[in-house]
Coordinates of all heavy atoms in Angstrom, one line a residue:
M1 N -37.0 56.5 -57.3 CA -37.1 57.4 -56.1 C -36.5 56.7 -54.9 O -36.8 55.7 -54.6 CB -38.5 57.9 -55.9 CG -39.0 58.9 -56.9 SD -38.1 60.3 -57.0 CE -38.5 61.0 -55.4
H2 N -35.8 57.6 -54.2 CA -35.0 57.0 -53.0 C -34.9 58.1 -52.1 O -33.9 59.0 -52.3 CB -33.7 56.3 -53.4 CG -33.1 55.7 -52.3 ND1 -32.1 56.3 -51.5 CD2 -33.3 54.5 -51.7 CE1 -31.7 55.4 -50.6 NE2 -32.4 54.2 -50.6
A3 N -35.7 58.4 -51.2 CA -35.7 59.4 -50.2 C -34.9 59.0 -49.0 O -35.5 58.4 -48.0 CB -37.1 59.9 -49.9
G4 N -33.6 59.3 -48.8 CA -33.1 59.0 -47.7 C -31.5 58.7 -48.1 O -31.1 59.0 -49.2
T5 N -30.8 58.2 -47.2 CA -29.4 57.9 -47.3 C -29.1 56.3 -46.9 O -29.6 56.0 -46.0 CB -28.5 58.8 -46.4 OG1 -28.7 60.1 -46.9 CG2 -27.1 58.5 -46.5
D6 N -28.3 55.7 -47.9 CA -28.0 54.3 -47.5 C -26.5 54.4 -47.0 O -25.6 55.0 -47.5 CB -28.1 53.5 -48.8 CG -29.5 53.2 -49.2 OD1 -30.3 53.2 -48.3 OD2 -29.7 53.0 -50.3
V7 N -26.3 53.8 -45.8 CA -25.1 53.6 -45.2 C -24.7 52.2 -45.2 O -25.3 51.3 -44.5 CB -25.1 54.1 -43.8 CG1 -23.7 54.1 -43.2 CG2 -25.6 55.5 -43.7
A8 N -23.7 51.8 -46.0 CA -23.2 50.4 -46.2 C -22.4 49.9 -44.9 O -21.3 50.5 -44.8 CB -22.5 50.2 -47.4
V9 N -23.0 49.2 -44.1 CA -22.3 48.7 -42.9 C -22.6 47.1 -42.7 O -23.6 46.7 -43.1 CB -22.7 49.4 -41.7 CG1 -22.0 50.7 -41.7 CG2 -24.1 49.6 -41.5
P10 N -21.7 46.3 -42.1 CA -21.9 45.0 -41.9 C -23.1 44.7 -41.0 O -23.5 45.5 -40.1 CB -20.6 44.5 -41.3 CG -19.7 45.5 -41.5 CD -20.3 46.8 -41.7
T11 N -23.9 43.7 -41.3 CA -24.9 43.2 -40.3 C -24.4 43.2 -38.9 O -23.3 42.7 -38.7 CB -25.5 41.9 -40.8 OG1 -26.2 42.0 -42.1 CG2 -26.5 41.3 -39.7
G12 N -25.2 43.7 -38.0 CA -24.8 43.7 -36.6 C -24.1 44.9 -36.1 O -23.8 45.1 -34.9
T13 N -23.9 45.9 -37.1 CA -23.3 47.1 -36.7 C -24.2 47.9 -35.7 O -25.5 47.9 -36.0 CB -23.0 48.0 -37.8 OG1 -22.1 47.3 -38.7 CG2 -22.4 49.3 -37.5
P14 N -23.8 48.4 -34.6 CA -24.7 49.0 -33.6 C -25.4 50.2 -34.2 O -24.8 51.0 -35.0 CB -23.9 49.5 -32.5 CG -22.6 48.6 -32.6 CD -22.4 48.2 -33.9
L15 N -26.6 50.3 -34.0 CA -27.5 51.4 -34.5 C -27.7 52.4 -33.4 O -28.2 52.0 -32.3 CB -28.9 50.9 -34.9 CG -30.0 51.9 -35.4 CD1 -29.5 52.6 -36.7 CD2 -31.4 51.3 -35.5
V16 N -27.3 53.6 -33.7 CA -27.3 54.7 -32.7 C -28.4 55.6 -33.1 O -28.5 56.0 -34.2 CB -25.9 55.3 -32.6 CG1 -26.0 56.6 -31.7 CG2 -24.8 54.4 -32.2
A17 N -29.2 56.0 -32.1 CA -30.1 57.1 -32.3 C -29.4 58.4 -32.6 O -28.5 58.8 -31.9 CB -31.1 57.3 -31.0
V18 N -29.8 59.1 -33.6 CA -29.1 60.4 -34.0 C -29.6 61.5 -33.2 O -28.8 62.5 -33.1 CB -29.3 60.6 -35.6 CG1 -28.5 59.5 -36.4 CG2 -30.7 60.6 -36.0
L19 N -30.7 61.5 -32.6 CA -31.3 62.6 -31.9 C -32.2 62.1 -30.8 O -32.7 61.0 -30.9 CB -32.2 63.4 -32.9 CG -31.5 64.2 -34.1 CD1 -32.5 64.7 -35.0 CD2 -30.6 65.3 -33.6
D20 N -32.5 62.9 -29.8 CA -33.6 62.5 -28.9 C -34.9 62.4 -29.6 O -35.2 63.1 -30.4 CB -33.7 63.6 -27.7 CG -32.4 63.7 -27.0 OD1 -31.5 62.9 -27.0 OD2 -32.3 64.8 -26.2
G21 N -35.7 61.4 -29.0 CA -37.0 61.1 -29.6 C -37.9 60.2 -28.9 O -37.5 59.7 -27.9
V22 N -39.1 59.9 -29.5 CA -40.0 59.0 -29.0 C -40.4 58.0 -30.1 O -40.8 58.5 -31.2 CB -41.3 59.6 -28.4 CG1 -42.3 58.7 -28.0 CG2 -40.9 60.7 -27.3
V23 N -40.3 56.8 -29.9 CA -40.6 55.8 -30.9 C -42.1 55.9 -31.3 O -43.0 55.8 -30.5 CB -40.2 54.3 -30.4 CG1 -40.7 53.3 -31.5 CG2 -38.7 54.3 -30.1
S24 N -42.3 55.9 -32.6 CA -43.7 56.0 -33.2 C -44.1 54.8 -33.9 O -45.3 54.7 -34.2 CB -43.8 57.3 -34.0 OG -42.8 57.3 -35.1
E25 N -43.1 54.1 -34.4 CA -43.6 52.8 -35.1 C -42.4 51.8 -35.0 O -41.2 52.2 -35.2 CB -43.7 53.2 -36.6 CG -44.1 52.0 -37.4 CD -44.3 52.4 -38.9 OE1 -44.6 53.6 -39.3 OE2 -43.8 51.6 -39.8
V26 N -42.7 50.6 -34.9 CA -41.8 49.4 -35.0 C -42.7 48.5 -36.0 O -43.8 48.1 -35.8 CB -41.4 48.8 -33.8 CG1 -40.7 47.5 -34.1 CG2 -40.8 49.7 -32.9
S27 N -42.1 48.1 -37.1 CA -42.8 47.3 -38.2 C -41.8 46.4 -38.8 O -40.7 46.6 -39.0 CB -43.6 48.2 -39.1 OG -42.8 49.0 -39.8
R28 N -42.6 45.4 -39.6 CA -41.7 44.6 -40.6 C -42.6 44.6 -41.9 O -43.7 44.5 -41.9 CB -41.6 43.1 -40.1 CG -40.5 43.0 -39.1 CD -40.4 41.4 -38.8 NE -39.4 41.3 -37.7 CZ -38.1 41.2 -37.8 NH1 -37.6 41.2 -39.1 NH2 -37.4 41.0 -36.8
G29 N -41.7 44.8 -43.0 CA -42.4 44.7 -44.4 C -41.2 44.7 -45.4 O -40.2 44.1 -45.1
S30 N -41.5 45.3 -46.6 CA -40.6 45.2 -47.6 C -39.3 46.0 -47.3 O -38.3 45.8 -47.9 CB -41.1 45.8 -49.0 OG -41.5 47.1 -48.7
A31 N -39.4 46.9 -46.4 CA -38.2 47.6 -45.8 C -37.6 46.9 -44.7 O -36.7 47.5 -44.1 CB -38.6 49.1 -45.5
G32 N -38.1 45.6 -44.4 CA -37.5 44.8 -43.4 C -37.9 45.3 -42.0 O -39.1 45.9 -41.9
L33 N -37.1 45.1 -41.0 CA -37.4 45.6 -39.6 C -37.2 47.2 -39.7 O -36.1 47.5 -40.0 CB -36.6 45.0 -38.7 CG -36.7 45.3 -37.2 CD1 -38.0 45.2 -36.6 CD2 -35.7 44.6 -36.3
V34 N -38.2 47.9 -39.3 CA -38.1 49.3 -39.3 C -38.4 49.9 -38.0 O -39.4 49.4 -37.3 CB -39.2 49.8 -40.3 CG1 -39.2 51.3 -40.3 CG2 -38.9 49.3 -41.8
V35 N -37.6 51.0 -37.6 CA -38.1 51.8 -36.4 C -38.2 53.3 -36.9 O -37.3 53.7 -37.6 CB -37.1 51.6 -35.3 CG1 -35.7 52.1 -35.6 CG2 -37.6 52.3 -34.0
R36 N -39.1 53.9 -36.4 CA -39.3 55.3 -36.7 C -39.5 56.1 -35.3 O -40.1 55.5 -34.5 CB -40.6 55.7 -37.6 CG -40.6 54.9 -38.9 CD -41.9 55.4 -39.7 NE -42.2 54.5 -40.8 CZ -41.6 54.5 -41.9 NH1 -40.8 55.3 -42.3 NH2 -42.0 53.5 -42.8
Y37 N -38.8 57.2 -35.1 CA -38.9 57.9 -33.9 C -39.0 59.4 -34.2 O -38.5 59.9 -35.1 CB -37.9 57.6 -32.8 CG -36.5 57.7 -33.3 CD1 -35.8 58.9 -33.1 CD2 -35.9 56.8 -34.1 CE1 -34.4 59.0 -33.5 CE2 -34.6 56.8 -34.3 CZ -33.8 57.9 -34.1 OH -32.5 58.1 -34.5
Q38 N -39.9 60.1 -33.5 CA -40.3 61.5 -33.6 C -39.2 62.3 -32.8 O -39.0 62.0 -31.6 CB -41.6 61.7 -33.2 CG -42.3 63.1 -33.6 CD -42.4 63.0 -35.2 OE1 -42.9 62.0 -35.8 NE2 -42.2 64.2 -35.8
T39 N -38.6 63.3 -33.5 CA -37.6 64.1 -32.9 C -38.1 65.6 -33.0 O -39.1 65.9 -33.7 CB -36.2 64.0 -33.5 OG1 -36.2 64.6 -34.8 CG2 -35.9 62.6 -33.6
A40 N -37.3 66.4 -32.4 CA -37.7 67.9 -32.6 C -37.6 68.4 -34.0 O -38.1 69.3 -34.5 CB -36.7 68.7 -31.6
L41 N -36.7 67.7 -34.8 CA -36.6 68.1 -36.2 C -37.6 67.4 -37.2 O -37.7 67.8 -38.3 CB -35.1 67.8 -36.6 CG -34.0 68.5 -36.1 CD1 -32.7 68.1 -36.6 CD2 -34.2 70.1 -36.2
G42 N -38.1 66.3 -36.7 CA -39.1 65.5 -37.5 C -38.9 64.1 -37.2 O -38.3 63.7 -36.3
R43 N -39.4 63.3 -38.1 CA -39.5 61.8 -38.0 C -38.3 61.1 -38.6 O -38.0 61.2 -39.7 CB -40.7 61.2 -38.5 CG -40.9 59.8 -38.2 CD -42.2 59.2 -38.8 NE -41.9 59.0 -40.3 CZ -42.7 58.6 -41.2 NH1 -44.1 58.4 -40.9 NH2 -42.4 58.5 -42.5
V44 N -37.6 60.5 -37.8 CA -36.4 59.7 -38.3 C -36.9 58.2 -38.5 O -37.4 57.6 -37.7 CB -35.3 59.7 -37.2 CG1 -34.1 58.7 -37.7 CG2 -34.7 61.1 -37.0
S45 N -36.4 57.7 -39.7 CA -36.7 56.3 -39.9 C -35.5 55.5 -40.2 O -34.6 56.0 -41.0 CB -37.6 56.2 -41.3 OG -38.8 56.9 -41.0
C46 N -35.3 54.2 -39.6 CA -34.2 53.4 -39.9 C -34.8 52.1 -40.4 O -35.6 51.5 -39.7 CB -33.5 53.2 -38.5 SG -32.9 54.8 -37.7
M47 N -34.2 51.6 -41.6 CA -34.8 50.4 -42.2 C -33.8 49.3 -42.4 O -32.5 49.6 -42.4 CB -35.4 50.9 -43.5 CG -36.4 52.0 -43.3 SD -37.1 52.4 -45.0 CE -38.1 53.9 -44.5
H48 N -34.3 48.1 -42.8 CA -33.5 47.0 -43.0 C -32.7 46.5 -41.8 O -31.6 45.9 -41.9 CB -32.5 47.3 -44.1 CG -33.3 47.8 -45.4 ND1 -34.3 47.1 -46.0 CD2 -33.1 48.9 -46.2 CE1 -34.7 47.9 -47.0 NE2 -33.9 49.0 -47.1
L49 N -33.2 46.7 -40.6 CA -32.4 46.4 -39.3 C -32.4 44.9 -39.2 O -33.2 44.1 -39.6 CB -33.2 47.1 -38.2 CG -33.3 48.6 -38.3 CD1 -34.0 49.2 -37.1 CD2 -31.9 49.3 -38.6
D50 N -31.4 44.4 -38.4 CA -31.4 43.1 -37.9 C -32.0 42.9 -36.7 O -32.7 41.8 -36.4 CB -29.8 42.8 -37.8 CG -29.6 41.3 -37.4 OD1 -29.9 40.4 -38.2 OD2 -29.2 41.0 -36.2
S51 N -32.0 43.9 -35.7 CA -32.7 43.7 -34.4 C -32.9 45.1 -33.7 O -32.2 46.0 -34.2 CB -31.8 42.8 -33.5 OG -30.6 43.4 -33.2
L52 N -33.8 45.0 -32.8 CA -33.9 46.3 -31.9 C -33.7 45.9 -30.5 O -34.0 44.7 -30.2 CB -35.3 46.9 -32.1 CG -35.6 47.5 -33.4 CD1 -36.9 47.9 -33.6 CD2 -34.7 48.9 -33.4
A53 N -33.3 46.8 -29.6 CA -33.3 46.4 -28.2 C -34.6 46.2 -27.8 O -35.6 46.9 -28.2 CB -32.6 47.7 -27.6
P54 N -34.7 45.3 -26.8 CA -36.1 45.0 -26.3 C -36.9 46.1 -25.9 O -38.2 46.1 -25.9 CB -35.8 44.0 -25.1 CG -34.5 43.4 -25.5 CD -33.7 44.7 -26.1
R55 N -36.3 47.2 -25.3 CA -37.2 48.2 -24.8 C -37.6 49.2 -25.9 O -38.4 50.2 -25.6 CB -36.3 49.1 -23.7 CG -35.2 49.9 -24.3 CD -34.7 50.7 -23.2 NE -34.1 52.1 -23.8 CZ -34.8 53.1 -24.0 NH1 -36.2 53.1 -23.8 NH2 -34.3 54.2 -24.5
I56 N -37.2 49.0 -27.1 CA -37.5 49.9 -28.2 C -39.0 49.5 -28.7 O -39.0 48.6 -29.7 CB -36.5 49.9 -29.3 CG1 -35.0 50.4 -28.7 CG2 -37.0 50.9 -30.5 CD1 -35.1 51.8 -28.0
V57 N -40.0 50.0 -28.1 CA -41.3 49.8 -28.6 C -42.0 51.2 -28.7 O -41.4 52.1 -28.2 CB -42.1 48.9 -27.4 CG1 -41.4 47.5 -27.4 CG2 -42.1 49.7 -26.1
V58 N -43.2 51.2 -29.4 CA -43.9 52.4 -29.5 C -44.1 53.1 -28.2 O -44.6 52.4 -27.2 CB -45.2 52.1 -30.3 CG1 -46.1 53.4 -30.3 CG2 -44.9 51.6 -31.7
G59 N -43.8 54.4 -28.2 CA -43.9 55.1 -26.9 C -42.6 55.2 -26.1 O -42.5 56.2 -25.2
A60 N -41.6 54.4 -26.4 CA -40.3 54.5 -25.7 C -39.6 55.7 -26.0 O -39.7 56.1 -27.2 CB -39.5 53.3 -25.9
T61 N -38.8 56.3 -25.2 CA -38.0 57.4 -25.5 C -36.6 56.9 -25.9 O -36.2 55.8 -25.4 CB -37.8 58.4 -24.3 OG1 -37.3 57.7 -23.1 CG2 -39.1 59.0 -23.9
V62 N -36.0 57.7 -26.8 CA -34.6 57.3 -27.1 C -33.8 58.6 -27.0 O -34.3 59.7 -27.1 CB -34.5 56.8 -28.6 CG1 -35.2 55.6 -28.8 CG2 -34.9 57.8 -29.6
S63 N -32.5 58.4 -26.7 CA -31.6 59.5 -26.4 C -30.6 59.5 -27.5 O -30.0 58.4 -27.9 CB -30.9 59.4 -25.1 OG -31.8 59.4 -24.1
G64 N -30.2 60.6 -28.0 CA -29.2 60.8 -29.0 C -27.9 60.2 -28.6 O -27.5 60.4 -27.5
G65 N -27.3 59.4 -29.4 CA -26.1 58.6 -29.0 C -26.3 57.2 -28.4 O -25.4 56.4 -28.2
E66 N -27.5 56.9 -28.1 CA -27.9 55.6 -27.5 C -27.9 54.5 -28.5 O -28.5 54.7 -29.6 CB -29.3 55.8 -26.7 CG -29.8 54.4 -26.2 CD -31.2 54.6 -25.8 OE1 -31.8 55.6 -26.0 OE2 -31.7 53.6 -25.1
V67 N -27.4 53.3 -28.3 CA -27.6 52.2 -29.1 C -28.9 51.6 -28.9 O -29.4 51.2 -27.9 CB -26.5 51.1 -28.8 CG1 -26.8 49.9 -29.7 CG2 -25.0 51.6 -29.1
I68 N -29.7 51.5 -30.1 CA -31.1 51.1 -30.0 C -31.3 49.8 -30.8 O -32.4 49.2 -30.7 CB -32.1 52.2 -30.4 CG1 -31.8 52.6 -31.9 CG2 -32.1 53.4 -29.5 CD1 -32.9 53.5 -32.6
G69 N -30.3 49.3 -31.4 CA -30.5 48.1 -32.2 C -29.2 47.8 -32.9 O -28.2 48.2 -32.6
A70 N -29.4 46.9 -34.0 CA -28.4 46.6 -34.9 C -28.7 46.6 -36.3 O -29.9 46.3 -36.7 CB -27.8 45.2 -34.6
T71 N -27.9 47.1 -37.3 CA -28.2 47.1 -38.6 C -28.2 45.7 -39.3 O -27.7 44.8 -38.6 CB -27.2 48.0 -39.4 OG1 -25.9 47.4 -39.3 CG2 -27.2 49.4 -38.8
G72 N -28.7 45.7 -40.5 CA -28.8 44.2 -41.0 C -29.1 44.4 -42.5 O -28.8 45.3 -43.2
Q73 N -29.8 43.4 -43.0 CA -30.3 43.3 -44.4 C -31.6 42.7 -44.5 O -31.9 41.9 -45.5 CB -29.2 42.5 -45.3 CG -28.9 41.2 -44.7 CD -27.7 40.5 -45.5 OE1 -27.7 40.8 -46.8 NE2 -26.9 39.7 -44.9
S74 N -32.5 43.0 -43.6 CA -33.9 42.5 -43.7 C -34.7 43.3 -44.7 O -34.3 44.4 -45.1 CB -34.5 42.6 -42.3 OG -34.6 44.1 -41.9
G75 N -35.7 42.5 -45.3 CA -36.5 43.2 -46.3 C -35.9 43.0 -47.6 O -35.0 42.3 -48.0
N76 N -36.3 44.0 -48.6 CA -35.9 43.9 -50.0 C -34.6 44.6 -50.2 O -34.6 45.9 -50.2 CB -36.8 44.5 -50.9 CG -38.2 43.7 -51.0 OD1 -38.2 42.5 -50.5 ND2 -39.3 44.3 -51.3
V77 N -33.4 43.9 -50.2 CA -32.1 44.6 -50.2 C -31.2 43.8 -51.0 O -31.5 42.5 -51.3 CB -31.5 44.8 -48.8 CG1 -32.3 45.8 -48.0 CG2 -31.3 43.4 -48.1
T78 N -30.1 44.3 -51.4 CA -29.1 43.5 -52.2 C -27.8 43.2 -51.3 O -26.9 42.5 -51.7 CB -28.7 44.1 -53.5 OG1 -28.2 45.5 -53.1 CG2 -29.8 44.3 -54.5
G79 N -27.9 43.9 -50.1 CA -26.8 43.6 -49.2 C -27.0 44.4 -48.0 O -27.9 45.3 -48.0
P80 N -26.2 44.2 -46.9 CA -26.4 44.8 -45.6 C -26.2 46.4 -45.7 O -25.2 46.8 -46.2 CB -25.4 44.2 -44.7 CG -24.4 43.5 -45.6 CD -25.1 43.3 -46.8
H81 N -27.1 47.1 -45.2 CA -26.9 48.5 -45.1 C -28.1 49.1 -44.2 O -29.1 48.5 -43.9 CB -26.9 49.2 -46.4 CG -28.4 49.3 -47.0 ND1 -28.9 48.2 -47.7 CD2 -29.3 50.4 -47.2 CE1 -30.1 48.6 -48.2 NE2 -30.4 49.9 -47.9
L82 N -27.8 50.4 -43.8 CA -28.9 51.1 -43.1 C -29.4 52.1 -44.0 O -28.7 52.9 -44.6 CB -28.1 51.8 -41.9 CG -29.1 52.9 -41.1 CD1 -30.3 52.2 -40.4 CD2 -28.3 53.7 -40.2
H83 N -30.7 52.1 -44.1 CA -31.4 53.1 -44.8 C -31.9 54.1 -43.7 O -32.7 53.7 -42.9 CB -32.6 52.5 -45.6 CG -33.4 53.6 -46.3 ND1 -33.2 53.9 -47.7 CD2 -34.3 54.4 -45.9 CE1 -34.1 54.9 -48.0 NE2 -34.7 55.3 -46.9
L84 N -31.5 55.4 -43.8 CA -31.8 56.4 -42.8 C -32.5 57.5 -43.6 O -32.1 58.1 -44.5 CB -30.5 56.9 -42.3 CG -30.5 57.9 -41.1 CD1 -31.2 57.3 -39.9 CD2 -29.0 58.2 -40.9
E85 N -33.6 58.0 -42.9 CA -34.4 59.1 -43.5 C -34.8 60.1 -42.5 O -34.9 59.7 -41.2 CB -35.8 58.5 -44.0 CG -35.7 57.7 -45.3 CD -37.1 57.4 -45.8 OE1 -38.2 58.0 -45.3 OE2 -37.2 56.6 -46.7
L86 N -35.1 61.3 -42.8 CA -35.7 62.3 -42.0 C -36.9 62.9 -42.7 O -36.7 63.4 -43.9 CB -34.7 63.4 -41.6 CG -35.3 64.5 -40.8 CD1 -35.8 64.1 -39.4 CD2 -34.3 65.8 -40.8
R87 N -38.0 62.9 -42.1 CA -39.1 63.7 -42.7 C -39.4 64.8 -41.7 O -39.8 64.8 -40.6 CB -40.4 62.7 -42.7 CG -41.6 63.5 -43.3 CD -42.8 62.7 -43.5 NE -42.5 61.7 -44.6 CZ -43.4 61.0 -45.2 NH1 -44.7 61.0 -44.9 NH2 -43.1 60.1 -46.2
P88 N -38.9 66.0 -42.2 CA -39.0 67.2 -41.4 C -40.4 67.5 -40.9 O -41.3 67.1 -41.6 CB -38.5 68.3 -42.3 CG -37.6 67.7 -43.3 CD -38.2 66.3 -43.6
I89 N -40.6 68.1 -39.8 CA -42.0 68.5 -39.3 C -42.6 69.3 -40.5 O -42.1 70.3 -40.9 CB -41.8 69.4 -38.1 CG1 -41.0 68.7 -37.0 CG2 -43.1 69.9 -37.7 CD1 -41.6 68.0 -35.9
G90 N -43.9 68.8 -40.7 CA -44.6 69.5 -41.7 C -44.4 69.1 -43.1 O -45.2 69.5 -44.0
A91 N -43.3 68.3 -43.4 CA -43.1 68.0 -44.8 C -43.9 66.7 -45.2 O -44.2 66.0 -44.3 CB -41.6 67.6 -44.9
S92 N -44.0 66.6 -46.5 CA -44.9 65.4 -47.0 C -44.0 64.3 -47.4 O -44.5 63.3 -47.8 CB -45.8 65.9 -48.1 OG -45.1 66.5 -49.2
S93 N -42.7 64.5 -47.5 CA -41.9 63.4 -47.9 C -40.5 63.6 -47.1 O -40.2 64.7 -46.5 CB -41.5 63.4 -49.4 OG -41.0 64.6 -49.8
S94 N -39.7 62.4 -47.2 CA -38.4 62.5 -46.5 C -37.3 63.2 -47.3 O -37.4 63.4 -48.5 CB -38.1 61.0 -46.2 OG -39.0 60.6 -45.4
V95 N -36.3 63.6 -46.7 CA -35.2 64.2 -47.3 C -33.9 63.6 -47.0 O -33.8 62.8 -46.1 CB -35.1 65.8 -46.9 CG1 -36.4 66.6 -47.1 CG2 -34.8 65.8 -45.3
D96 N -32.9 64.1 -47.6 CA -31.5 63.6 -47.3 C -31.3 64.0 -45.7 O -31.2 65.2 -45.6 CB -30.4 64.1 -48.2 CG -29.1 63.7 -47.8 OD1 -28.9 63.0 -46.7 OD2 -28.1 64.1 -48.5
P97 N -31.0 63.1 -44.9 CA -31.0 63.5 -43.5 C -29.6 64.0 -43.0 O -29.5 64.6 -42.0 CB -31.3 62.1 -42.8 CG -30.8 61.1 -43.6 CD -31.0 61.7 -45.0
L98 N -28.5 63.7 -43.7 CA -27.2 63.9 -43.2 C -26.8 65.3 -42.8 O -26.3 65.5 -41.8 CB -26.2 63.4 -44.2 CG -26.2 61.8 -44.5 CD1 -25.1 61.4 -45.4 CD2 -26.2 61.1 -43.2
P99 N -27.4 66.3 -43.5 CA -27.0 67.7 -43.1 C -27.7 68.0 -41.7 O -27.2 69.0 -41.0 CB -27.8 68.5 -44.2 CG -27.8 67.7 -45.4 CD -28.0 66.3 -44.9
F100 N -28.7 67.2 -41.3 CA -29.4 67.6 -40.1 C -28.8 67.0 -38.9 O -29.1 67.3 -37.7 CB -30.9 67.1 -40.1 CG -31.6 67.9 -41.2 CD1 -31.7 67.4 -42.6 CD2 -32.4 69.1 -40.9 CE1 -32.4 68.1 -43.5 CE2 -33.1 69.7 -41.8 CZ -33.0 69.3 -43.2
F101 N -28.0 65.9 -39.0 CA -27.7 65.1 -37.9 C -26.2 65.3 -37.5 O -25.3 65.6 -38.3 CB -27.8 63.6 -38.3 CG -29.1 63.2 -38.5 CD1 -29.4 62.1 -39.3 CD2 -30.2 63.8 -38.0 CE1 -30.6 61.7 -39.6 CE2 -31.6 63.4 -38.3 CZ -31.7 62.4 -39.1
P102 N -25.9 65.1 -36.2 CA -24.4 65.3 -35.7 C -23.6 64.2 -36.4 O -23.9 63.1 -36.5 CB -24.6 65.1 -34.2 CG -25.9 65.2 -33.9 CD -26.8 64.8 -35.1
A103 N -22.5 64.6 -37.0 CA -21.7 63.8 -37.9 C -21.2 62.6 -37.2 O -21.2 61.5 -37.8 CB -20.6 64.5 -38.4
E104 N -21.0 62.7 -35.9 CA -20.4 61.5 -35.2 C -21.4 60.4 -34.9 O -21.1 59.4 -34.5 CB -19.8 62.0 -33.8 CG -20.7 62.4 -32.7 CD -21.2 63.9 -32.9 OE1 -20.9 64.5 -33.9 OE2 -21.7 64.4 -32.0
R105 N -22.8 60.8 -35.2 CA -23.8 59.8 -34.9 C -24.2 59.1 -36.3 O -25.2 58.4 -36.2 CB -25.0 60.4 -34.2 CG -24.6 60.8 -32.8 CD -25.7 61.4 -32.0 NE -25.3 61.9 -30.8 CZ -25.9 62.8 -30.0 NH1 -27.1 63.3 -30.5 NH2 -25.4 63.2 -28.9
V106 N -23.7 59.5 -37.4 CA -24.1 58.9 -38.6 C -22.9 57.9 -39.1 O -21.8 58.6 -39.3 CB -24.5 59.9 -39.7 CG1 -24.8 59.3 -41.0 CG2 -25.7 60.7 -39.1
A107 N -23.1 56.8 -39.4 CA -22.1 55.8 -40.0 C -20.9 55.6 -38.9 O -21.2 55.4 -37.8 CB -21.5 56.4 -41.3
Ligands
ZN201 ZN1 -32.2 53.0 -49.0

């Protein structure tokens, strides 16, 4: 099972917020460095990151198009990539996010 989209990019590629939102979680675990933020469409998750901008903490606002960190290969991965998910409002699991996001902000 793999709920989301993997975007293969080199470590250090700028991570851009796809939508306006508010950071709800910053954590480290098997998915590496993770940031989640709540948007009008649902919760966006970005995993296996290399770094986050210092201001990206729980409660911080993000703006669509803003660089919020850098992609990487933290956690359980076989190579550098961004794992990107959207859990729509009210849904119990995440979906393929690409149809929901502005194309110029993905990959
Ligand atoms: Zn993935």
Side-chain angles (χ1 to χ4, degrees):
M1 285 299 293
H2 185 264
T5 294
D6 288 332
V7 183
V9 285
T11 293
T13 300
L15 173 67
V16 173
V18 288
L19 299 167
D20 295 347
V22 177
V23 176
S24 57
E25 179 186 325
V26 174
S27 61
R28 276 188 190 273
S30 61
L33 176 59
V34 174
V35 63
R36 303 185 199 274
Y37 54 97
Q38 199 66 40
T39 75
L41 294 181
R43 189 187 70 185
V44 175
S45 300
C46 306
M47 304 180 186
H48 309 302
L49 305 178
D50 185 65
S51 63
L52 285 169
R55 72 170 210 83
I56 301 302
V57 296
V58 172
T61 57
V62 300
S63 300
E66 174 189 8
V67 174
I68 58 173
T71 64
Q73 51 183 330
S74 59
N76 297 337
V77 296
T78 56
H81 72 283
L82 170 66
H83 177 100
L84 184 63
E85 287 186 10
L86 174 69
R87 181 170 294 193
I89 303 261
S92 59
S93 60
S94 297
V95 300
D96 178 358
L98 295 187
F100 294 87
F101 297 156
E104 70 276 14
R105 292 186 188 156
V106 178

